Amino acid sequence: MRIAVLMSSYNGEKYIAQQIASVLSQKVDGQVDLWVRDDGSTDSTRDILEQQAKAGKLRWYSGENLKPAKSFLDLVKYCHGYDFYAFCDQDDRWDEDKLQQAISRIAGDEGPALSFANARLVDAALNPLNRNVYNRIPQTDYYSVTCGGGILGCTVVFNRALAEIVKTYGNPDKLIMHDSYVAILCTLFDGRIVFDPEPRMDYRQHGNNAVGTNWTKLDALKDRLHRITKRESVTIFQMAQSILDQKPQVPNKEKLAFLRKVARYPQTLTNTISMACSRKPRYNGLSMQVTMRLAILLRNR
């Protein structure tokens, strides 16, 4: 069994060596190869990567600054011949059984499959913040991930069948994040998503996070208000259209029809109201449900 761990780096000199060490310490039944794509670092990150590569610990390449989402998709397209693929941030710390636990949940799937897990929130020095990312089981059905996301990318492991789909349809013009995009493709092609409620890594929160999560109630409230009132730089309707533009050969026509509905919801008031009131997407908790439906109603989602 061969596993490719895919890391996108950008100005990560402060924490990247520690994360590399935790990846290399994985206890897993198989060969683990760490691949890093540097997304245009200007600090000493590339020097660190080169030193690690010379020591035989990883392989890396560099390219133009694509931002994290497209950089990760580039890694999937770049790496071939693996049984499983794992997304990896540059500044976390993995438990030594993280990969094995994830792989065990989807090892028997012949079709596309994705596993993701909970994570412990920690500060910059890895001190516990006494909460996990998820305090309830997230929704993982097609309609919910298409409209709500909710997949923690740095915990994601997926199989070769899903990787081949990503390689085929991994060129979206508009992309929110790589984790939500891969999850949508998985469920669009009738794949399976599995959630592990046990935390399998330390998810470091610091001032330079490219992507993080809110962990105070005030931060959460500010995030809810921002989601409702401000249009996201890339919306779900733009990403849905980007998938449709690639003409996916989807066996489930009902799912394809819903993707068209998402792509077209801002075009008329009737479409917008229908999308905001749709019962197909499920959002965790009343607060998130109100947030998402209002954001859609204002055409900001």
Side-chain angles (χ1 to χ4, degrees), residues 137-254:
I137 297 175
Q139 305 296 335
T140 58
D141 62 281
Y142 167 70
Y143 303 101
S144 299
V145 298
T146 299
C147 295
I151 307 296
L152 185 60
C154 55
T155 69
V156 162
V157 176
F158 53 99
N159 63 4
R160 181 185 298 187
L162 181 51
E164 291 306 313
I165 293 172
V166 176
K167 290 176 190 295
T168 301
Y169 302 107
N171 298 292
D173 179 47
K174 299 291 184 180
L175 181 63
I176 297 173
M177 278 305 290
H178 56 289
D179 44 19
S180 58
Y181 187 80
V182 172
I184 291 171
L185 289 181
C186 181
T187 52
L188 180 62
F189 284 86
D190 295 334
R192 192 170 72 103
I193 297 180
V194 182
F195 173 66
D196 179 1
E198 290 297 317
R200 302 297 179 185
M201 55 169 278
D202 292 328
Y203 188 32
R204 196 191 308 253
Q205 304 297 291
H206 56 86
N208 296 320
N209 286 73
V211 178
T213 188
N214 300 306
W215 58 273
T216 69
K217 290 183 178 180
L218 180 59
D219 286 337
L221 177 59
K222 289 179 179 178
D223 179 65
R224 296 283 191 272
L225 292 174
H226 185 270
R227 289 192 187 194
I228 293 170
T229 60
K230 304 294 183 182
R231 174 168 290 192
E232 298 181 2
S233 57
V234 178
T235 62
I236 60 170
F237 62 83
Q238 289 173 322
M239 190 161 74
Q241 187 60 55
S242 288
I243 297 174
L244 291 169
D245 288 343
Q246 297 180 78
K247 298 179 173 55
Q249 301 302 305
V250 179
N252 191 317
K253 301 308 178 185
E254 179 184 344

Side-chain angles (χ1 to χ4, degrees), residues 142 240 244 253 255-265:
Y142 167 70
L244 291 169
K253 301 308 178 185
K255 289 182 177 180
L256 198 60
F258 183 79
L259 195 65
R260 294 191 187 99
K261 179 176 180 176
V262 175
R264 297 168 184 170
Y265 92 76

Side-chain angles (χ1 to χ4, degrees), residues 38-208:
D38 187 75
D39 199 32
S41 293
T42 56
D43 63 0
S44 64
T45 297
R46 295 189 186 198
D47 294 333
I48 295 170
L49 294 176
E50 185 60 24
Q51 291 169 5
Q52 298 274 3
K54 287 181 177 179
K57 296 181 178 180
L58 58 83
R59 305 173 200 180
W60 75 285
Y61 67 102
S62 60
E64 63 177 306
N65 184 254
L66 299 175
K67 305 302 181 186
K70 290 189 176 182
S71 183
F72 274 108
L73 291 187
D74 190 78
L75 275 160
V76 177
K77 291 180 283 185
Y78 191 87
C79 298
H80 298 274
Y82 290 92
D83 301 296
F84 296 95
Y85 297 75
F87 289 140
C88 176
D89 287 354
Q90 66 183 2
D91 48 9
D92 301 322
R93 183 177 64 180
W94 287 7
D95 295 356
E96 62 181 16
D97 65 342
K98 176 188 178 296
L99 284 178
Q100 187 63 52
Q101 289 291 336
I103 290 170
S104 68
R105 285 169 168 76
I106 57 173
D109 289 71
E110 295 184 0
L114 179 154
S115 175
F116 73 112
N118 217 329
R120 297 174 294 272
L121 289 173
V122 298
D123 66 14
L126 297 177
N127 297 309
L129 295 175
N130 299 317
R131 66 155 281 194
N132 296 332
V133 171
Y134 298 99
N135 57 19
R136 65 182 72 194
I137 297 175
Q139 305 296 335
T140 58
D141 62 281
Y142 167 70
Y143 303 101
S144 299
V145 298
T146 299
C147 295
I151 307 296
L152 185 60
C154 55
T155 69
V156 162
V157 176
F158 53 99
N159 63 4
R160 181 185 298 187
L162 181 51
E164 291 306 313
I165 293 172
V166 176
K167 290 176 190 295
T168 301
Y169 302 107
N171 298 292
D173 179 47
K174 299 291 184 180
L175 181 63
I176 297 173
M177 278 305 290
H178 56 289
D179 44 19
S180 58
Y181 187 80
V182 172
I184 291 171
L185 289 181
C186 181
T187 52
L188 180 62
F189 284 86
D190 295 334
R192 192 170 72 103
I193 297 180
V194 182
F195 173 66
D196 179 1
E198 290 297 317
R200 302 297 179 185
M201 55 169 278
D202 292 328
Y203 188 32
R204 196 191 308 253
Q205 304 297 291
H206 56 86
N208 296 320

